[in-house]
Each structure stands twice: as structure tokens, then as C-alpha cells.
């Protein structure tokens, strides 16, 4: 997520299921409108401090993080009190009634989190529980977010039957590295002009041809 410090004009960020715990790198993303952070390791709602000055943020998906706690109402009210411009939170539309109630039931966040308290207070069980969700559920969510990014880039959506190689059961290091590289590339592509995109297309085409040639030789 640290790459976001170098992407002030990014509009959509998808980092679900990535072990993220710190939202400070998002502080300068002034054009950010959609942020997907489901199933990470965000331990404190004080991390919202870094999102309060993002004027265009309208969609936030933060569920299944330790910071959500055991009280869904308190969690939602606190998020809405600090981010009153949200139109959708955790895939649920925000109402005017909720925004009014948030001023009463929500907690105002005025300072960033104390990293020492976050580390000592983060429940280990939350991380363990995050791995128990069914593969189909995680796959559907990952596919949805991937296709949202592809739509932003003017690309065709990925069919479900072509997405099997991204199974969430592949927890090895190589998979995490590949996904991090892919996310970084997709984010950086939004910063390129036409000339830059053409260079990427040419390079990707040559790389794809080489991979196909290698597969044919192995067969």
C-alpha cells in the first residue's frame, strides 16, 4: 500500500485480503473515490484519521477487519461520523437518517492511532478467522474487484471460469508476490498517458508471445 504515496491522482484502490494494517499512505490520495479494504488487519478505527481529508471518497468497504469489533452499530456510526460524505459503506447505501444518528452514536476521531496500542490490542483470532471463509465467497469478491479495476482501464471483464488460478487457497509466497505486482501495475497504469500505455501494450505483447512460445515448447 506504500505505493499509494506516489499516486496522488488515483481514484479507485482495491487492496482486499492483503494483510494491510496502516492507512497512512492513503492520506495524499485527494482524488480517491472508491476504496476496498475488506479482510485485512486494520486493528483500530483511528486509521480513519487518514481518510478524513479525502474529499471525493464515496465508497468504502472495510468489513472483516479487527477494527469492526463486536458492535456493528457502533462501528458503522463511527465510520459515518468521521466520513460523512460516504454514499456506500460495506456495500450498503448510506442514508440521511444514519448520518444524523452518527452524530450521536459515533465516536469522533481526532488523532491517528497509537501504533503500540494497536499492536498490543490486535486480536489474533481475527486473522485466524479471516482464513475460514469459504473459497467460493472469497473468489467471488476477488473477481468482482478485479473486474472493477479492468473496467476502469477499459478492459473486458474476466469470466469466472478463467479466474480459477487466483484461488484464495494459494497462500504461498509466490502468489502474494504476483498479486502485489499485479495490483501495483494496475494502479500505475492509471497514471500513464496514451504514449505510456502504448509502450506498456507493446512490452506486454512481446512478453505474452514469449510465454506462449515457451508453453508450446514444453508441450
Amino acid at each position: 500500500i506504500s505505493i499509494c504515496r506516489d499516486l496522488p491522482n488515483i481514484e479507485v484502490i482495491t487492496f482486499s485480503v492483503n494483510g494491510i494494517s496502516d492507512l497512512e499512505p492513503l492520506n495524499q490520495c485527494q482524488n480517491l473515490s472508491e476504496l476496498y479494504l475488506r479482510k485485512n488487519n486494520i486493528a483500530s478505527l483511528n486509521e480513519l484519521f487518514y481518510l478524513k481529508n479525502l474529499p471525493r471518497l464515496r465508497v468504502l468497504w472495510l468489513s472483516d477487519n479487527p477494527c469492526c469489533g463486536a458492535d456493528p452499530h457502533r462501528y458503522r456510526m463511527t465510520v459515518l461520523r468521521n466520513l460523512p460524505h460516504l454514499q456506500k459503506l460495506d456495500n450498503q447505501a448510506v442514508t440521511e437518517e444514519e448520518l444524523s444518528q452518527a452524530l450521536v452514536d459515533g465516536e469522533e476521531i481526532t488523532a491517528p492511532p497509537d501504533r503500540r496500542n494497536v499492536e498490543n490490542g490486535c486480536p489474533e483470532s481475527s486473522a485466524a478467522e479471516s482464513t475460514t471463509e469459504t473459497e467460493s465467497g472469497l473468489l467471488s469478491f476477488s473477481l468482482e474487484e478485479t473486474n472493477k479495476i479492468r473496467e476502469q482501464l477499459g478492459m473486458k471483464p474476466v469470466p469466472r471460469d478463467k479466474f480459477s488460478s487466483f484461488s484464495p487457497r494459494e497462500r504461498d509466497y509466490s502468489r502474494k508476490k504476483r498479486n502485489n505486482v499485479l495490483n501495483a501495475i494496475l494502479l500505475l497504469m492509471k497514471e500513464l498517458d496514451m504514449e505510456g500505455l502504448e509502450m506498456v501494450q507493446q512490452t506486454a505483447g512481446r512478453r505474452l508471445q514469449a510465454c506462449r512460445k515457451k508453453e508450446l515448447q514444453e508441450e
Side-chain angles (χ1 to χ4, degrees):
I1 194 174
S2 59
I3 192 176
C4 295
R5 293 192 181 97
D6 300 321
L7 300 171
N9 296 320
I10 195 72
E11 297 180 11
V12 178
I13 294 178
T14 302
F15 276 144
S16 294
V17 199
N18 264 287
I20 290 169
S21 60
D22 178 7
L23 300 187
E24 186 275 333
L26 302 175
N27 194 38
Q28 302 300 319
C29 299
Q30 293 294 298
N31 289 329
L32 187 63
S33 62
E34 298 181 28
L35 177 59
Y36 301 91
L37 293 168
R38 182 172 177 257
K39 299 189 75 65
N40 279 287
N41 296 329
I42 302 170
S44 171
L45 285 176
N46 281 53
E47 294 289 343
L48 296 175
F49 178 82
Y50 300 116
L51 307 181
K52 293 183 69 171
N53 294 321
L54 304 182
R56 300 185 179 182
L57 187 60
R58 296 294 181 267
V59 177
L60 174 64
W61 201 323
L62 193 60
S63 63
D64 297 310
N65 275 279
C67 65
C68 299
D71 187 344
H73 177 74
R74 176 184 174 277
Y75 153 71
R76 190 172 177 87
M77 291 296 99
T78 296
V79 174
L80 295 182
R81 175 164 183 172
N82 291 277
L83 304 175
H85 298 301
L86 286 181
Q87 297 176 353
K88 185 177 289 188
L89 172 61
D90 297 338
N91 206 32
Q92 182 178 342
V94 175
T95 66
E96 291 293 334
E97 291 77 8
E98 283 184 309
L99 291 175
S100 298
Q101 191 65 36
L103 295 175
V104 178
D105 296 344
E107 178 183 346
E108 179 73 16
I109 294 173
T110 59
D114 184 332
R115 296 296 172 199
R116 291 169 300 176
N117 290 340
V118 168
E119 292 173 0
N120 294 334
C122 179
E124 295 180 1
S125 60
S126 297
E129 291 170 1
S130 68
T131 63
T132 62
E133 187 173 15
T134 64
E135 179 173 342
S136 61
L138 278 171
L139 181 58
S140 297
F141 189 82
S142 299
L143 179 60
E144 175 187 342
E145 291 192 331
T146 298
N147 281 338
K148 179 179 284 292
I149 294 176
R150 292 175 68 87
E151 181 182 355
Q152 293 287 328
L153 297 173
M155 302 166 66
K156 294 182 179 180
V158 179
R160 187 179 183 85
D161 61 346
K162 299 295 185 182
F163 200 74
S164 58
S165 60
F166 293 90
S167 168
R169 286 184 178 178
E170 299 172 14
R171 298 291 179 181
D172 56 276
Y173 171 78
S174 61
R175 171 189 175 269
K176 291 181 179 179
K177 180 179 179 180
R178 179 195 61 190
N179 285 351
N180 287 338
V181 171
L182 179 60
N183 279 329
I185 291 173
L186 292 175
L187 290 171
L188 288 169
M189 284 181 66
K190 292 180 66 66
E191 301 294 314
L192 297 176
D193 56 16
M194 184 175 295
E195 182 180 359
L197 289 171
E198 288 176 349
M199 292 177 63
V200 171
Q201 184 182 35
Q202 294 171 4
T203 302
R206 290 193 294 268
R207 173 64 175 162
L208 186 58
Q209 289 179 353
C211 290
R212 287 173 176 169
K213 183 178 180 180
K214 182 178 179 180
E215 286 184 354
L216 291 174
Q217 291 176 344
E218 291 176 350
E219 292 177 356

